[in-house]
Structures are given as C-alpha cells and as structure tokens.
Amino acid sequence: MRPRSVTTLLATLALALAVPATAEATPGSGVTGTIFKQKTVGDTDYVLREVVIQPGGYTGWHYHDGKLYAYVKNGTLTHNSADCGLDGLYRKGDVFTEPSDTVHIGRNLGTTPVVLEVLYVLPHGSPLSEDAPNPGCA
C-alpha cells in the first residue's frame, strides 16, 4: 500500500469513529392496546385506550407529544424516567399523569397483568407514542 493510501484509510477510519452511531428505538414486549374512543376537538385529539402489559412485559423507551392521564385498573406498573431512576410505582386504583416530551419506560415486574385505562390528549394527528432510544439504563 502506498503512503497516500494509508493516510486516506486512517482519515476515513478517524471520521467513521468520530461520527456517533445512530441510536435505535427500544421496542416493547408483552404489551397490547385497545382504543375505545377517539374524538378531535379543534387541534386536539382525545383517545381513550386500554393498555395491557403482561408479566415481564415493558413498553420500550418512548415519549408522547401530549399529556396522558392513566388509571391503574389492575397490577403494579413500574415507571422509569430517562435518568434511569424510578419515577413511579403505580398500583391498582392509582391515577397518574405523564407530561409531554418526557422519555420513559413502563414495566410489569409482577405476576399479574397490568391493565391501564389511558386518556391521551395529543396535538391533532400525533401518534400515541414516539419511540426513543434507551438513554443508557440497564
């Protein structure tokens, strides 16, 4: 290999190593959802949905473009924020909210399904959730 080729190769490798890898979304597992009702008022979509997380299941890291209001109908939901800390442990009968644009994950570490009744209040046309990469949590 000629010296010029070695220089070009080293420069290409340095550039490749300097560019951060594209982070990948973390898909959920053991989660199903059923929409009961949808309504649009002005520029806001209201979606009422039941979410079931099976034992050992998780939502994957994600965020929402609007606010959520949730009621725990069954089970215990473990809720972690992007700083890897526990930001909620919600049991049957609890009510909680999730603010918009906050990366989080919900997990069922119990032995019974977690059943949530969720009201999504979203900007019109927004998806129910947006996938996010794992922020570096175990």
mmCIF file of all heavy atoms in Angstrom, residues 5 8 14 21-22 26 29 35-36 38 44 48 57 61 68 70 80 87-88 93 97 110 113 131-133:
data_model
loop_
_atom_site.group_PDB
_atom_site.id
_atom_site.type_symbol
_atom_site.label_atom_id
_atom_site.label_comp_id
_atom_site.label_asym_id
_atom_site.label_seq_id
_atom_site.Cartn_x
_atom_site.Cartn_y
_atom_site.Cartn_z
ATOM 1 N N SER A 5 -2.338 6.055 0.341
ATOM 2 C CA SER A 5 -3.484 5.192 0.609
ATOM 3 C C SER A 5 -3.648 4.941 2.098
ATOM 4 O O SER A 5 -4.763 4.896 2.604
ATOM 5 C CB SER A 5 -3.326 3.857 -0.120
ATOM 6 O OG SER A 5 -3.282 4.078 -1.505
ATOM 7 N N THR A 8 -5.167 8.078 3.616
ATOM 8 C CA THR A 8 -6.595 8.146 3.288
ATOM 9 C C THR A 8 -7.391 7.165 4.141
ATOM 10 O O THR A 8 -8.460 7.510 4.667
ATOM 11 C CB THR A 8 -6.826 7.854 1.792
ATOM 12 O OG1 THR A 8 -6.057 8.788 1.026
ATOM 13 C CG2 THR A 8 -8.279 7.961 1.419
ATOM 14 N N ALA A 14 -10.800 7.522 11.129
ATOM 15 C CA ALA A 14 -10.958 8.545 12.166
ATOM 16 C C ALA A 14 -12.321 9.220 12.044
ATOM 17 O O ALA A 14 -13.007 9.452 13.038
ATOM 18 C CB ALA A 14 -9.838 9.569 12.066
ATOM 19 N N ALA A 21 -22.903 6.732 16.494
ATOM 20 C CA ALA A 21 -23.789 5.743 15.890
ATOM 21 C C ALA A 21 -25.234 6.197 16.050
ATOM 22 O O ALA A 21 -25.583 6.886 16.997
ATOM 23 C CB ALA A 21 -23.594 4.389 16.570
ATOM 24 N N THR A 22 -26.084 5.822 15.125
ATOM 25 C CA THR A 22 -27.493 6.143 15.212
ATOM 26 C C THR A 22 -28.117 5.299 16.317
ATOM 27 O O THR A 22 -27.982 4.088 16.334
ATOM 28 C CB THR A 22 -28.189 5.840 13.872
ATOM 29 O OG1 THR A 22 -27.545 6.600 12.853
ATOM 30 C CG2 THR A 22 -29.653 6.196 13.929
ATOM 31 N N THR A 26 -36.231 1.270 21.220
ATOM 32 C CA THR A 26 -36.321 0.047 22.011
ATOM 33 C C THR A 26 -37.763 -0.432 21.992
ATOM 34 O O THR A 26 -38.598 0.111 22.704
ATOM 35 C CB THR A 26 -35.871 0.299 23.460
ATOM 36 O OG1 THR A 26 -36.636 1.372 23.997
ATOM 37 C CG2 THR A 26 -34.404 0.662 23.527
ATOM 38 N N SER A 29 -42.435 -5.182 24.647
ATOM 39 C CA SER A 29 -42.678 -6.613 24.615
ATOM 40 C C SER A 29 -43.813 -6.928 25.579
ATOM 41 O O SER A 29 -43.840 -6.407 26.703
ATOM 42 C CB SER A 29 -41.413 -7.362 25.037
ATOM 43 O OG SER A 29 -41.651 -8.751 25.106
ATOM 44 N N ILE A 35 -58.193 0.683 21.534
ATOM 45 C CA ILE A 35 -58.785 2.018 21.560
ATOM 46 C C ILE A 35 -60.290 1.876 21.722
ATOM 47 O O ILE A 35 -60.950 1.174 20.970
ATOM 48 C CB ILE A 35 -58.441 2.797 20.280
ATOM 49 C CG1 ILE A 35 -56.933 3.070 20.237
ATOM 50 C CG2 ILE A 35 -59.246 4.098 20.213
ATOM 51 C CD1 ILE A 35 -56.445 3.739 18.971
ATOM 52 N N PHE A 36 -60.828 2.552 22.732
ATOM 53 C CA PHE A 36 -62.270 2.526 22.993
ATOM 54 C C PHE A 36 -62.983 3.699 22.339
ATOM 55 O O PHE A 36 -64.107 3.581 21.880
ATOM 56 C CB PHE A 36 -62.549 2.566 24.497
ATOM 57 C CG PHE A 36 -62.140 1.330 25.229
ATOM 58 C CD1 PHE A 36 -61.449 1.420 26.421
ATOM 59 C CD2 PHE A 36 -62.429 0.065 24.750
ATOM 60 C CE1 PHE A 36 -61.072 0.283 27.123
ATOM 61 C CE2 PHE A 36 -62.059 -1.078 25.432
ATOM 62 C CZ PHE A 36 -61.382 -0.961 26.626
ATOM 63 N N GLN A 38 -62.246 7.769 20.255
ATOM 64 C CA GLN A 38 -61.392 8.832 19.752
ATOM 65 C C GLN A 38 -62.269 10.022 19.398
ATOM 66 O O GLN A 38 -63.373 9.845 18.870
ATOM 67 C CB GLN A 38 -60.668 8.400 18.477
ATOM 68 C CG GLN A 38 -59.578 7.388 18.680
ATOM 69 C CD GLN A 38 -58.932 7.037 17.357
ATOM 70 O OE1 GLN A 38 -59.473 6.239 16.598
ATOM 71 N NE2 GLN A 38 -57.785 7.626 17.075
ATOM 72 N N THR A 44 -56.915 19.306 18.932
ATOM 73 C CA THR A 44 -56.537 18.327 19.942
ATOM 74 C C THR A 44 -57.273 17.012 19.725
ATOM 75 O O THR A 44 -58.484 17.000 19.513
ATOM 76 C CB THR A 44 -56.857 18.866 21.354
ATOM 77 O OG1 THR A 44 -56.192 20.118 21.529
ATOM 78 C CG2 THR A 44 -56.389 17.902 22.433
ATOM 79 N N LEU A 48 -59.139 7.453 24.172
ATOM 80 C CA LEU A 48 -59.285 6.611 25.363
ATOM 81 C C LEU A 48 -58.886 5.198 24.974
ATOM 82 O O LEU A 48 -59.452 4.628 24.035
ATOM 83 C CB LEU A 48 -60.727 6.647 25.872
ATOM 84 C CG LEU A 48 -61.000 5.871 27.159
ATOM 85 C CD1 LEU A 48 -60.140 6.407 28.308
ATOM 86 C CD2 LEU A 48 -62.479 5.959 27.509
ATOM 87 N N GLY A 57 -43.474 -7.918 30.855
ATOM 88 C CA GLY A 57 -43.561 -7.046 29.683
ATOM 89 C C GLY A 57 -43.120 -5.627 29.985
ATOM 90 O O GLY A 57 -43.004 -5.211 31.143
ATOM 91 N N TRP A 61 -38.688 2.248 25.548
ATOM 92 C CA TRP A 61 -38.478 3.667 25.822
ATOM 93 C C TRP A 61 -39.264 4.472 24.807
ATOM 94 O O TRP A 61 -39.233 4.174 23.610
ATOM 95 C CB TRP A 61 -36.995 4.012 25.774
ATOM 96 C CG TRP A 61 -36.240 3.435 26.925
ATOM 97 C CD1 TRP A 61 -35.534 2.267 26.930
ATOM 98 C CD2 TRP A 61 -36.155 3.967 28.240
ATOM 99 N NE1 TRP A 61 -35.009 2.051 28.185
ATOM 100 C CE2 TRP A 61 -35.378 3.079 29.000
ATOM 101 C CE3 TRP A 61 -36.659 5.115 28.854
ATOM 102 C CZ2 TRP A 61 -35.085 3.297 30.338
ATOM 103 C CZ3 TRP A 61 -36.370 5.341 30.185
ATOM 104 C CH2 TRP A 61 -35.583 4.430 30.915
ATOM 105 N N LEU A 68 -50.748 12.581 29.107
ATOM 106 C CA LEU A 68 -51.541 11.372 29.348
ATOM 107 C C LEU A 68 -52.066 11.383 30.774
ATOM 108 O O LEU A 68 -51.390 11.829 31.689
ATOM 109 C CB LEU A 68 -50.665 10.123 29.199
ATOM 110 C CG LEU A 68 -50.624 9.482 27.836
ATOM 111 C CD1 LEU A 68 -49.874 10.360 26.888
ATOM 112 C CD2 LEU A 68 -49.951 8.151 27.948
ATOM 113 N N ALA A 70 -53.683 8.440 33.322
ATOM 114 C CA ALA A 70 -53.817 6.982 33.399
ATOM 115 C C ALA A 70 -54.387 6.549 34.743
ATOM 116 O O ALA A 70 -54.086 7.132 35.785
ATOM 117 C CB ALA A 70 -52.466 6.319 33.170
ATOM 118 N N ASN A 80 -40.034 4.195 34.883
ATOM 119 C CA ASN A 80 -38.691 4.757 34.987
ATOM 120 C C ASN A 80 -38.524 5.914 34.009
ATOM 121 O O ASN A 80 -39.009 5.863 32.883
ATOM 122 C CB ASN A 80 -37.624 3.708 34.694
ATOM 123 C CG ASN A 80 -37.626 2.612 35.721
ATOM 124 O OD1 ASN A 80 -38.303 1.602 35.556
ATOM 125 N ND2 ASN A 80 -36.891 2.798 36.799
ATOM 126 N N ASP A 87 -39.424 6.724 38.767
ATOM 127 C CA ASP A 87 -40.206 7.935 38.984
ATOM 128 C C ASP A 87 -41.660 7.625 39.311
ATOM 129 O O ASP A 87 -42.471 8.528 39.449
ATOM 130 C CB ASP A 87 -40.088 8.909 37.816
ATOM 131 C CG ASP A 87 -40.712 8.412 36.534
ATOM 132 O OD1 ASP A 87 -41.105 7.241 36.468
ATOM 133 O OD2 ASP A 87 -40.803 9.200 35.581
ATOM 134 N N GLY A 88 -41.979 6.342 39.462
ATOM 135 C CA GLY A 88 -43.322 5.989 39.880
ATOM 136 C C GLY A 88 -43.505 4.491 40.027
ATOM 137 O O GLY A 88 -42.941 3.704 39.265
ATOM 138 N N GLY A 93 -55.792 1.014 41.341
ATOM 139 C CA GLY A 93 -56.525 2.123 41.932
ATOM 140 C C GLY A 93 -55.817 3.462 41.851
ATOM 141 O O GLY A 93 -56.427 4.502 42.072
ATOM 142 N N THR A 97 -50.212 10.925 35.797
ATOM 143 C CA THR A 97 -50.108 11.621 34.516
ATOM 144 C C THR A 97 -48.695 11.475 33.978
ATOM 145 O O THR A 97 -47.749 11.214 34.728
ATOM 146 C CB THR A 97 -50.435 13.120 34.645
ATOM 147 O OG1 THR A 97 -49.492 13.724 35.525
ATOM 148 C CG2 THR A 97 -51.848 13.337 35.158
ATOM 149 N N GLY A 110 -44.395 -7.637 38.045
ATOM 150 C CA GLY A 110 -45.224 -8.504 38.874
ATOM 151 C C GLY A 110 -45.616 -9.799 38.179
ATOM 152 O O GLY A 110 -45.097 -10.147 37.114
ATOM 153 N N PRO A 113 -51.171 -9.358 35.058
ATOM 154 C CA PRO A 113 -51.137 -8.301 34.034
ATOM 155 C C PRO A 113 -51.408 -6.924 34.631
ATOM 156 O O PRO A 113 -52.211 -6.778 35.553
ATOM 157 C CB PRO A 113 -52.258 -8.690 33.073
ATOM 158 C CG PRO A 113 -52.451 -10.155 33.277
ATOM 159 C CD PRO A 113 -52.155 -10.402 34.728
ATOM 160 N N ASP A 131 -41.214 6.389 19.590
ATOM 161 C CA ASP A 131 -40.121 5.564 20.076
ATOM 162 C C ASP A 131 -38.899 6.421 20.425
ATOM 163 O O ASP A 131 -38.657 7.434 19.788
ATOM 164 C CB ASP A 131 -39.697 4.537 19.033
ATOM 165 C CG ASP A 131 -40.725 3.454 18.812
ATOM 166 O OD1 ASP A 131 -41.566 3.244 19.706
ATOM 167 O OD2 ASP A 131 -40.705 2.822 17.747
ATOM 168 N N ALA A 132 -38.163 5.960 21.425
ATOM 169 C CA ALA A 132 -36.934 6.653 21.838
ATOM 170 C C ALA A 132 -35.867 5.603 22.124
ATOM 171 O O ALA A 132 -36.192 4.474 22.510
ATOM 172 C CB ALA A 132 -37.193 7.482 23.088
ATOM 173 N N PRO A 133 -34.603 5.955 21.933
ATOM 174 C CA PRO A 133 -33.531 5.006 22.264
ATOM 175 C C PRO A 133 -33.389 4.867 23.773
ATOM 176 O O PRO A 133 -33.771 5.766 24.522
ATOM 177 C CB PRO A 133 -32.297 5.636 21.643
ATOM 178 C CG PRO A 133 -32.604 7.095 21.580
ATOM 179 C CD PRO A 133 -34.099 7.200 21.367
#
